[in-house]
Amino acid sequence: MTRLTTNDIQHIAAQLADYDTELTKKTGYSLRGIACRAAGVQESEFEKMSADLLAGIVPLTFGRGIIGGFCDTVASIVAHIGCPALVTQFADVAGLAEAFEKKADIIMLADDDRFVAIHPQSRQLADNAAATGRGFATGLSLMGGGLEKKNVLVIGCGPVGSAATQALVKLGSDVSIYDINLSRSDDLANRIRQSLDAKINIVKKLEQALTDHQFIVDATPAADIIPAEYITPDTYISAPGVPLGLNQEARSKVFDRLLHDPLQIGVATMTVDAMKFLLPEG
Ligand code: 2YG
């Protein structure tokens, strides 16, 4: 699990309107639009209900501690898609108590292992890694004009890559998966076969797979995993992995057929996931 730094996130809040413009150009949808499609919620439905709900974001000091700007940035993304958000003044248990006292409908908090949005009333939770994988898979589909029956390569079979794989299988894509640790790709293939009765292809040689695929999800923390020579004018890359797996040359070659951010799509998608718990049939 990659740990973000203040440097990764400090400009996000001020650039959310510009990011909507970029996303709309690439996918046809805003951050809220992508998140709603990834969560399976009508955007009009979300718009109607989100204004009346409150998200409480609680800083947590244990483990490697607070990341400067993390909770404020999460709150800015949640508010940007239309859901009022507050960062509790206190951290940890006092912060959790404050969120309850301030009647937050969903409570968002992250330690070194997990980042979740909980809905106490229904005892349900939304998970950032799962939401991030699904959000970026949805974004790739929107950017690439629909991925049904298309070959898609997922690099990285951790929590984010697993969620992306599941979402792509549900979209009808022919998914190939690669992980540097073969047992992780084996495990994911088994889980997908059991849960979705779908067969996915395990790739053992990444270079060959990069040659064979034009639709790629990079869900790894590797810095330079998709070399420029594998990028063609038909290549689309959706990269939830932090840091971005493309060097400067590769980025300029893929140009605007690339989706990447350190927090925005995942937080927006998990917020809509959590709001689903409050829908009448939620
Ligand atoms: O409350 C705080 O400020 C800290 N306890 C937050 C720690 C978050 C650690 N996790 C990460 O940095 C990432 N896994 C967050 C999600 C990244 C999504 N691409």
Side-chain angles (χ1 to χ4, degrees):
M1 177 70 77
T2 307
R3 180 178 168 91
L4 295 172
T5 64
T6 301
N7 187 43
D8 290 328
I9 59 177
Q10 63 190 356
H11 302 300
I12 287 174
Q15 296 174 353
L16 282 167
D18 291 345
Y19 194 46
D20 268 341
T21 306
E22 179 189 330
L23 289 175
T24 304
K25 190 158 71 72
K26 290 179 175 179
T27 70
Y29 290 87
S30 67
L31 183 59
R32 185 175 67 186
I34 294 170
C36 286
R37 296 180 79 79
V41 171
Q42 279 296 331
E43 191 169 356
S44 54
E45 181 78 18
F46 178 76
E47 203 171 354
K48 229 180 349 210
M49 68 181 297
S50 58
D52 308 331
L53 300 158
L54 178 61
I57 294 121
V58 183
L60 298 183
T61 64
F62 27 90
R64 295 178 63 186
I66 290 206
I67 298 173
F70 178 81
C71 287
D72 288 333
T73 302
V74 170
S76 71
I77 297 164
V78 175
H80 180 73
I81 64 170
C83 172
L86 66 85
V87 178
T88 55
Q89 186 192 348
F90 298 100
D92 303 330
V93 175
L96 204 48
E98 183 187 343
F100 265 77
E101 286 151 0
K102 290 180 176 173
K103 306 276 180 261
D105 298 284
I106 59 167
I107 297 174
M108 303 172 91
L109 59 183
D111 66 11
D112 300 341
D113 302 310
R114 289 195 66 181
F115 176 12
V116 295
I118 56 178
H119 180 236
Q121 201 176 341
S122 65
R123 294 191 308 280
Q124 296 180 89
L125 78 76
D127 177 83
N128 176 267
T132 300
R134 199 167 357 101
F136 275 86
T138 302
L140 181 65
S141 176
L142 294 170
M143 191 167 56
L147 296 179
E148 190 168 0
K149 293 198 179 23
K150 297 277 178 62
N151 293 325
V152 184
L153 171 64
V154 176
I155 312 173
C157 297
V160 174
S162 300
T165 300
Q166 186 173 41
L168 289 163
V169 168
K170 286 179 176 173
L171 287 171
S173 306
D174 294 326
V175 185
S176 294
I177 56 175
Y178 171 83
D179 194 287
I180 197 162
N181 174 342
L182 194 52
S183 66
R184 288 197 347 171
S185 32
D186 279 341
D187 291 348
L188 176 54
N190 288 331
R191 288 202 306 275
I192 294 287
R193 191 175 23 256
Q194 277 151 21
S195 60
L196 299 176
D197 191 23
K199 190 172 168 354
I200 53 175
N201 180 36
I202 294 176
V203 161
K204 293 190 174 59
K205 287 199 178 345
L206 182 57
E207 290 67 24
Q208 187 56 46
L210 289 171
T211 309
D212 298 343
H213 288 85
Q214 65 172 106
F215 297 106
I216 302 168
V217 173
D218 171 19
T220 75
D224 189 357
I225 195 157
I226 305 176
E229 75 240 42
Y230 294 102
I231 294 174
T232 76
D234 299 323
T235 302
Y236 290 83
I237 300 173
S238 190
V242 175
L244 176 59
L246 287 82
N247 63 25
Q248 201 43 49
E249 186 195 356
R251 280 189 222 197
S252 53
K253 257 187 104 173
V254 76
F255 186 51
D256 65 353
R257 298 182 308 281
L258 166 69
L259 274 189
H260 171 69
D261 71 45
L263 206 48
Q264 296 92 310
I265 287 174
V267 167
T269 302
M270 82 192 279
T271 303
V272 184
D273 279 347
M275 285 303 152
K276 274 196 302 193
F277 306 149
L278 294 112
L279 287 171
E281 68 283 0

